[in-house]
């Protein structure tokens, strides 16, 4: 089993930046990100319409370039937790974790004994297609995969100390957009209620020896969050990069069209 680049950096108290792919779920885009040198890619299944066959191709591209596939799951019970892991995910992102009981259930499903009771198979790519020693596979899977729970509801903020205390949860990840909905201040992500919630998550994570993260909108925003202790930072998505890139091309040539219409020269 491959060692997780994300965990390697987090364990050294380094921060990571992770872009998202999902709206255009192409293994080629994932491969590009790995070639560029990112440590991980956020593969989003929660809001997107692709299935496990496509996910398997994307995790293969990750293995080919040494990048960690981190999958935000379709939150639909036990199978939705183990299937991405058996497809080769290095980490799982669990949306809308609402309670310590839910967090503990995720650990039970995602980790093998003694940390949990995930069903043992070992025939997937995560077990080297049954070519790994089974006890070693179980040990490596527990050590080299990680769990991220999203704190994006006011109910979760109220019990964030208890969620952070759950053994087996590695990262608390703030979801400012849904959090602003939950507090009734959407889309004001800088509202005092949201900033206070972020601080509560950061403090709970620190007290319980967990990492925490958040989406960042800019380098300056990232600098601020890193200063507060954030180590798992999300920024960028393939759909944004593509629309902004193609819009920029169109804008440049629209300007040329107007210039030529006026008799100017480019």
């Amino acid at each position: 089993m491959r060692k997780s680049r994300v965990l390697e950096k987090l364990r050294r108290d380094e921060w990571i930046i992770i872009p998202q792919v999902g709206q255009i779920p192409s293994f080629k885009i994932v491969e590009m990100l790995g070639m560029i040198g990112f440590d991980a890619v956020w593969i989003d299944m929660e809001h997107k319409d692709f299935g496990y066959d496509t996910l398997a191709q994307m995790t293969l591209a990750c293995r080919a370039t040494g990048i960690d596939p981190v999958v935000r799951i379709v939150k639909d019970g036990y199978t939705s937790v183990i299937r991405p892991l058996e497809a080769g995910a290095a980490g799982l992102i669990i949306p809308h974790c609402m309670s310590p009981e839910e967090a503990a259930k995720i650990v039970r499903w995602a980790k093998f004994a003694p940390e949990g009771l995930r069903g043992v198979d070992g025939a997937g790519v995560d077990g080297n297609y049954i070519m790994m020693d089974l006890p070693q596979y179980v040990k490596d899977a527990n050590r080299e995969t990680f769990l991220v729970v999203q704190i994006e509801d006011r109910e979760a903020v109220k019990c964030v100390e208890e969620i952070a205390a759950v053994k087996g949860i590695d990262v608390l990840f703030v979801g400012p957009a849904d959090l602003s909905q939950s507090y009734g201040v959407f889309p004001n992500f800088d509202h005092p209620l949201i900033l206070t919630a972020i601080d509560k998550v950061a403090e709970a994570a620190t007290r319980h020896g967990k990492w925490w993260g958040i989406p960042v909108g800019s380098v300056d925003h990232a600098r601020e969050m890193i200063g507060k202790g954030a180590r798992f930072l999300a920024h960028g998505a393939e759909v944004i990069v593509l629309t902004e890139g193609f819009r920029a091309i169109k804008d440049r040539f629209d300007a040329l069209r107007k210039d030529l219409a006026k008799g100017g020269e480019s």
Side-chain angles (χ1 to χ4, degrees):
M1 177 173 287
R2 290 178 56 250
K3 288 188 175 181
S4 164
R5 283 173 58 171
V6 169
L7 284 176
E8 186 178 17
K9 286 201 167 183
L10 292 178
R11 288 165 179 162
R12 295 199 302 256
D13 196 33
E14 298 179 21
W15 54 271
I16 64 137
I17 189 75
I18 176 169
Q20 184 182 112
V21 174
Q23 192 63 50
I24 305 167
S26 168
F27 67 89
K28 292 185 178 182
I29 296 177
V30 171
E31 189 176 31
M32 287 178 197
L33 294 174
M35 288 179 173
I36 289 168
F38 284 99
D39 295 304
V41 56
W42 175 315
I43 300 174
D44 187 40
M45 298 188 78
E46 181 194 10
H47 293 288
K48 309 307 186 289
D49 59 0
F50 64 93
Y52 292 112
D53 288 347
T54 301
L55 174 64
Q57 295 177 359
M58 295 167 80
T59 63
L60 177 60
C62 289
R63 293 192 298 280
T65 54
I67 190 173
D68 274 11
V70 186
V71 180
R72 179 158 66 175
I73 68 168
V74 176
K75 193 175 177 182
D76 190 28
Y78 170 71
T79 302
S80 69
V81 172
I82 67 165
R83 288 293 297 274
L85 292 171
E86 291 176 348
L92 301 182
I93 301 171
I94 314 302
H96 294 284
C97 181
M98 302 289 279
S99 69
E101 291 80 14
E102 182 180 359
K105 182 171 65 176
I106 294 298
V107 174
R108 178 184 175 90
W109 288 346
K111 296 290 185 177
F112 296 114
E115 295 177 39
L117 283 176
R118 173 184 166 188
V120 179
D121 182 39
V125 65
D126 61 325
N128 290 354
Y129 301 112
I130 217 163
M131 291 185 285
M132 260 186 95
D133 173 72
L134 198 57
Q136 189 64 46
Y137 159 63
V138 166
K139 181 179 178 181
D140 288 355
N142 279 355
R143 185 186 66 246
E144 295 300 329
T145 58
F146 57 92
L147 297 175
V148 182
V149 291
Q150 288 197 261
I151 307 299
E152 47 190 348
D153 302 271
R154 63 191 305 170
E155 295 91 338
V157 175
K158 288 179 181 178
C159 61
V160 70
E161 288 285 345
E162 291 83 359
I163 293 173
V166 174
K167 186 176 181 180
I169 296 301
D170 299 290
V171 182
L172 307 182
F173 190 85
V174 180
D178 282 342
L179 203 54
S180 72
Q181 286 195 115
S182 183
Y183 279 105
V185 296
F186 180 83
N188 186 356
F189 305 158
D190 293 324
H191 191 281
L193 286 170
I194 306 305
L195 299 181
T196 298
I198 292 170
D199 288 342
K200 286 182 178 179
V201 173
E203 291 162 7
T206 299
R207 269 192 292 273
H208 293 279
K210 305 296 172 69
W211 299 294
W212 74 278
I214 192 170
V216 291
S218 66
V219 169
D220 288 340
H221 187 204
R223 188 189 304 275
E224 178 187 358
M225 293 299 103
I226 292 167
K228 288 178 176 287
R231 294 295 180 265
F232 191 94
L233 306 176
H235 179 81
E238 90 289 8
V239 66
I240 296 173
V241 172
L242 287 168
T243 53
E244 289 184 350
F246 283 123
R247 183 179 290 117
I249 291 171
K250 184 175 185 301
D251 287 347
R252 288 197 297 270
F253 282 89
D254 282 350
L256 172 62
R257 191 186 313 278
K258 290 178 182 179
D259 187 50
L260 292 176
K262 293 187 294 186
E265 297 181 358
S266 61

